[in-house]
Amino acid sequence: MDLPRLMVSAAQEQGGSLLDQKIKALSFTEKEKDKKKYNILLILDPDREEIRFEPKAWQDGDEKRYCYLGNNARASKQFYAVRDVKSFLNYWTGKGGGVLQALSDFLDEGELKEQLLLCRQKKLFSEAGLSMRHIAGWNPDIIIANKKLVDSSNDGKTVGAEKLLMELTGLDAGCKLALIIPCVRRQVISNHKEYISKIERLLQGDAPAEKKQKPKQTSVCHICGKRSETVDTIAYTTKLSGSSVSKVFVTTTVNYASGFKKVNHQQNFAVCRDCYAKWLTGENAVMREFRLQIAREPAVILFDGISGAIDRQEIEAFGQKIDAAFQMKQLQEQLDNLKDELDDENIELFEFHILFYKTDGKACAVKKTIEAVSNIRFLEVMRAFQKVQRSYQLPNFKLKTFQPGTLYGLVPVHTNTKKEQLNIGRLLELYAAVFKGHTVSAHTIFDWYTEAMSCGNRYILSRKLRNEANLFNLKFAVEKYDGKSAYWREYYFGQMTFYYMAFLDVMRELAILGGDDTDMSDQPQKDYSGLDSRLAEKEAFLDKHQFADTARGLFYLGAAMYQVGEMQRVHDHADKPILNKVPYGGMRLSAVLPFLREIEKKIQQYRRAMLSKKKAGLVYAADQYLRLAYHYLGDLPQQAEENCGDESANVFYLMSGYSSCIRIDKNKQDDDKQEDESNAQEQP
């Protein structure tokens, strides 16, 4: 993946100047959106030798109107004039002696620089920042200590910038402040042609005068393929945004240089000034329009044409489809559009790359890349998920939502106290395998399943969710569980089991499931006409999901276990103690026979009581399931001796049988629906 080339490609469809593309957008919370918003004019008046703060009503588009560029990158001098209210301290602190001092040093000779130098001569600002004694209405007790505004008369208590500015301007405390806009007299600095011209030249790679380097020899730009005297890879790449994925493209260390010689940096991905300017434009467009969150991890999408250039509208539309695919809740409108595209045979061919990254605003590290996924492959994956979803409309279970984003709710993700996801890498690897067509071991999937079951069982019983809060409906089950009824425990087990079963079917559909010995496609169609309707239904289900004999035996053992649990519930044990007998972390084949005999013993224990309570149906069903368990498990002691089997898979097959018998209480479906919506809202 050639990241610089892809960034330049993203810039080709962008309109407006490079400066327009670098404009930052302010974001407001839902509460702040309803408030009256104001900008604050920071007026330098050299004639009256004072500084005033005046309010000016906020209007949509003020970021562009006043050329708001945010803060300068990393440890650079802070000379961008306009700041948001949270960066008010930058007018005193930062490299260069505060914004105005740094700006007066940065500008070329001209009218604006003369005006700023006059203000500096009048001591309105200096290397220490704004002169507080020249600010009209300033409380002399407010000083700066340890890079904070503090009240020296109140034990050094921190003073909020927004509150302070409201007091200085007489604004009501219920409003919201947005931008701070410096002016000389009434001339807005950021609108001055000399300021704009200088910033534009800077963005195009023109270094400040004191740092201009000697002319370089001509080199060939690897992006446009043209020879140019403006090739300066080191100078350009060090100016890339610290919060952008472009920052991973840094060539200033010797390890990046050909022959491990610093003088050879230009031989690696040489970039000319024109391409650098386009790179910046593309970088800004990508980070603004194609940034999303997948599994709560920040990511960006880069598109690359295969059969030709890609139409911008098509890129935007497909980017929305990718975003929708990774949400926990299905977005029906996007799904409807996707269904139309699945049937379209005249699709323009292109591919996309997903970069997962981590940034603190100063540096950026790429955690994982999923490269070169064609739009055809994406549609194929979505088709597989939709096909499986339609097949799971069972009487006791329906896949209400099922798409790649659903996988985030299946694989346990452990977080630290800072809410950082520590083992998210394995889920990202799974996404890469699904979209790239790489084989995933069935044993790995079963291990994740038992981990999810063990976590869920432990947290539900303790009635406290300590971690792995991403697991599907676990938070809901923990909150609902009362310690008496097993219903919410079963609810979680059933949901998790069927979702894993559905995902295994997706992997078979995509032919990426490795170590899977359940393929029964060559076996003849069975006739179940002589079986009880309940058994015929389960046999058909097992055929459909390709359960082998041992897996079927465990399935029926789990079904018999459910009947025992129901007998216990009828016998005033609503918590169903039989659930505590299951080793959710894994079950060896050698442990299956003792467990089977335990189930058989429980059936005999409750037989007479169930008959007396007119619950003979439970006994009849348990006997049927137990008989089939013995039938399919065959010579279990010999199998256990020869092969311990997959311990995690054994638990999965056992709980599949149990889950197939669970009946969801219709009176609680509204709660279930509310949890679905809650899960969707929690997802990015």
Side-chain angles (χ1 to χ4, degrees):
M1 176 176 56
D2 188 345
L3 181 60
R5 183 183 62 80
L6 292 174
M7 287 294 188
V8 170
S9 177
Q12 291 178 350
E13 297 297 329
Q14 292 295 313
S17 66
L18 176 59
L19 181 59
D20 290 338
Q21 299 301 325
K22 295 296 289 183
I23 298 297
K24 303 290 185 182
L26 285 182
S27 60
F28 301 100
T29 65
E30 290 300 322
K31 290 183 179 180
E32 290 172 345
K33 289 179 181 178
D34 297 330
K35 293 182 177 180
K36 181 70 174 177
K37 292 182 280 294
Y38 290 92
N39 296 319
I40 299 297
L41 300 180
L42 191 169
I43 302 174
L44 302 171
D45 191 338
D47 301 326
R48 298 172 60 177
E49 298 186 9
E50 71 171 9
I51 302 171
R52 299 188 301 277
F53 290 103
E54 296 182 4
K56 182 177 178 62
W58 161 272
Q59 297 180 19
D60 290 340
D62 273 357
E63 299 101 327
K64 183 175 181 179
R65 188 173 294 111
Y66 296 110
C67 193
Y68 172 60
L69 303 173
N71 296 337
N72 292 89
R74 302 175 294 283
S76 302
K77 289 185 177 181
Q78 297 295 317
F79 49 76
Y80 288 164
V82 178
R83 302 296 168 119
D84 64 47
V85 70
K86 296 177 183 177
S87 301
F88 183 45
L89 270 174
N90 285 146
Y91 291 100
W92 285 275
T93 63
K95 188 174 181 180
V99 170
L100 296 175
Q101 176 76 16
L103 180 58
S104 64
D105 293 337
F106 166 73
L107 289 170
D108 294 333
E109 295 297 330
E111 177 191 2
L112 181 57
K113 182 160 186 167
E114 288 180 5
Q115 293 295 322
L116 286 173
L117 291 177
L118 175 62
C119 292
R120 189 160 73 179
Q121 183 181 348
K122 297 287 186 177
K123 301 187 183 306
L124 299 184
F125 65 86
S126 64
E127 292 181 354
L130 294 176
S131 173
M132 294 179 179
R133 68 184 184 87
H134 286 89
I135 299 176
W138 187 270
N139 182 349
D141 292 329
I142 305 298
I143 61 174
I144 293 179
N146 298 323
K147 297 184 178 181
K148 293 181 181 179
L149 286 167
V150 299
D151 187 347
S152 60
S153 66
N154 190 15
D155 297 326
K157 184 178 180 180
T158 301
V159 178
E162 193 162 9
K163 180 180 179 182
L164 177 62
L165 288 169
M166 287 179 182
E167 292 176 354
L168 288 170
T169 55
L171 289 172
D172 184 77
C175 65
K176 172 63 184 174
L177 302 187
L179 297 176
I180 299 173
I181 305 168
C183 311
V184 178
R185 298 184 177 92
R186 288 288 174 176
Q187 169 67 55
V188 175
I189 293 175
S190 60
N191 287 348
H192 198 287
K193 62 181 181 180
E194 293 174 4
Y195 174 85
I196 293 174
S197 175
K198 182 65 175 180
I199 293 294
E200 285 180 337
R201 294 202 307 275
L202 176 75
L203 294 177
Q204 291 169 0
D206 196 10
E210 68 274 16
K211 291 189 177 181
K212 281 187 178 289
Q213 301 179 13
K214 297 178 181 179
K216 297 178 174 59
Q217 296 180 349
T218 60
S219 299
V220 176
C221 173
H222 94 280
I223 297 177
C224 64
K226 298 177 181 178
R227 184 171 290 277
S228 172
E229 294 181 355
T230 64
V231 170
D232 195 343
T233 308
I234 298 175
Y236 301 148
T237 56
T238 53
K239 296 176 184 176
L240 297 169
S241 172
S243 59
S244 165
V245 292
S246 283
K247 193 54 190 170
V248 302
F249 188 83
V250 176
T251 57
T252 56
T253 63
V254 70
N255 291 342
Y256 283 83
S258 175
F260 297 103
K261 295 181 180 179
K262 291 185 177 181
V263 294
N264 292 339
H265 278 302
Q266 303 292 20
Q267 298 179 18
N268 298 342
F269 298 103
V271 180
C272 69
R273 180 182 296 177
D274 289 343
C275 288
Y276 166 68
K278 295 175 183 176
W279 186 349
L280 286 180
T281 302
E283 173 190 59
N284 190 59
V286 167
M287 298 304 292
R288 184 181 67 249
E289 300 175 17
F290 298 113
R291 183 171 53 182
L292 65 158
Q293 282 203 330
I294 298 176
R296 295 193 184 280
E297 292 293 315
V300 294
I301 311 173
L302 296 172
F303 291 89
D304 196 6
I306 296 177
S307 58
I310 323 170
D311 180 73
R312 176 168 178 77
Q313 292 183 345
E314 185 172 355
I315 290 177
E316 292 177 349
F318 207 85
Q320 293 174 0
K321 292 181 176 66
I322 295 173
D323 188 17
F326 283 103
Q327 299 299 317
M328 285 282 282
K329 181 181 179 182
Q330 284 180 334
L331 306 179
Q332 195 58 46
E333 180 180 352
Q334 293 294 340
L335 266 182
D336 292 340
N337 294 337
L338 191 57
K339 289 175 182 176
D340 295 337
E341 195 156 354
L342 290 174
D343 299 328
D344 185 2
E345 297 180 356
N346 300 315
I347 302 176
E348 185 177 353
L349 187 61
F350 60 87
E351 62 184 15
F352 62 88
H353 316 271
I354 302 177
L355 282 77
F356 296 90
Y357 67 97
K358 180 181 180 180
T359 180
D360 58 1
K362 298 179 181 179
C364 182
V366 171
K367 301 176 69 173
K368 173 67 182 174
T369 61
I370 303 177
E371 300 183 35
V373 180
S374 73
N375 55 330
I376 302 300
R377 175 64 184 181
F378 174 81
L379 296 175
E380 180 184 354
V381 170
M382 294 304 296
R383 183 185 290 112
F385 272 90
Q386 291 182 17
K387 179 180 178 181
V388 171
Q389 181 182 20
R390 288 193 294 267
S391 70
Y392 270 76
Q393 305 307 313
L394 308 175
N396 65 324
F397 180 77
K398 291 179 174 59
L399 285 177
K400 295 182 179 180
T401 174
F402 194 53
Q403 52 199 29
T406 309
L407 303 184
Y408 180 65
L410 304 185
V411 181
V413 176
H414 195 81
T415 59
N416 60 15
T417 54
K418 297 179 181 179
K419 300 301 181 182
E420 295 172 331
Q421 302 187 121
L422 303 180
N423 57 345
I424 192 64
R426 60 183 183 177
L427 179 59
L428 303 185
E429 290 288 349
L430 178 61
Y431 279 137
V434 169
F435 283 100
K436 293 292 292 178
H438 298 162
T439 300
V440 179
S441 170
H443 304 301
T444 299
I445 304 301
F446 290 134
D447 284 345
W448 290 343
Y449 168 79
T450 53
E451 187 181 342
M453 293 291 278
S454 296
C455 288
N457 186 58
R458 182 168 64 253
Y459 294 144
I460 292 172
L461 288 178
S462 67
R463 300 170 69 179
K464 186 174 182 180
L465 184 59
R466 296 178 178 85
N467 216 308
E468 285 80 27
N470 68 297
L471 290 173
F472 196 66
N473 283 332
L474 178 56
K475 180 181 178 182
F476 184 59
V478 169
E479 291 174 350
K480 291 289 185 179
Y481 182 64
D482 59 5
K484 299 176 181 178
S485 170
Y487 176 82
W488 293 109
R489 212 170 155 196
E490 290 182 331
Y491 170 87
Y492 174 78
F493 291 158
Q495 292 265 315
M496 191 59 62
T497 300
F498 275 115
Y499 270 109
Y500 264 92
M501 189 182 297
F503 180 52
L504 288 168
D505 285 346
V506 167
M507 297 179 74
R508 293 189 185 101
E509 185 73 21
L510 295 172
I512 60 172
L513 187 61
D516 181 23
D517 58 357
T518 61
D519 187 8
M520 302 176 62
S521 56
D522 294 334
Q523 295 196 10
Q525 185 70 30
K526 297 180 181 179
D527 180 15
Y528 303 120
S529 58
L531 290 177
D532 176 278
S533 61
R534 175 167 42 194
L535 296 181
E537 179 183 321
K538 292 198 180 300
E539 282 291 303
F541 177 83
L542 294 174
D543 283 346
K544 179 178 180 180
H545 298 287
Q546 304 178 10
F547 277 46
D549 282 354
T550 301
R552 287 174 181 246
L554 290 166
F555 177 92
Y556 282 116
L557 179 56
M561 182 179 75
Y562 178 83
Q563 307 307 315
V564 170
E566 283 296 287
M567 294 178 196
Q568 291 176 329
R569 182 183 61 80
V570 172
H571 207 61
D572 297 328
H573 297 297
D575 59 336
K576 298 187 179 182
I578 194 64
L579 286 171
N580 298 327
K581 299 287 186 178
V582 180
Y584 295 101
M587 174 185 276
R588 297 174 64 90
L589 276 178
S590 58
V592 172
L593 185 58
F595 187 78
L596 191 153
R597 288 174 177 164
E598 175 75 14
I599 296 298
E600 188 173 26
K601 179 181 176 181
K602 291 294 182 183
I603 294 173
Q604 296 303 325
Q605 176 184 341
Y606 291 111
R607 185 180 298 275
R608 182 174 295 179
M610 293 302 104
L611 293 175
S612 65
K613 293 184 178 183
K614 298 182 180 181
K615 294 291 184 180
L618 292 175
V619 178
Y620 175 70
D623 287 340
Q624 283 187 312
Y625 293 145
L626 199 63
R627 177 176 57 82
L628 286 170
Y630 272 113
H631 170 73
Y632 281 115
L633 289 172
D635 191 353
L636 197 58
Q638 183 177 347
Q639 291 185 53
E641 185 176 337
E642 295 175 354
N643 180 15
C644 67
D646 187 324
E647 298 177 24
S648 298
N650 293 339
V651 175
F652 172 76
Y653 296 131
L654 179 75
M655 293 308 295
S656 295
Y658 189 96
S659 301
S660 70
C661 301
I662 294 174
R663 292 292 182 267
I664 301 297
D665 187 345
K666 292 183 178 180
N667 294 327
K668 299 180 181 181
Q669 285 183 348
D670 289 340
D671 289 336
D672 186 14
K673 181 179 179 181
Q674 290 173 9
E675 169 60 5
D676 285 342
E677 294 173 352
S678 174
N679 275 340
Q681 291 170 0
E682 290 179 2
Q683 302 311 309

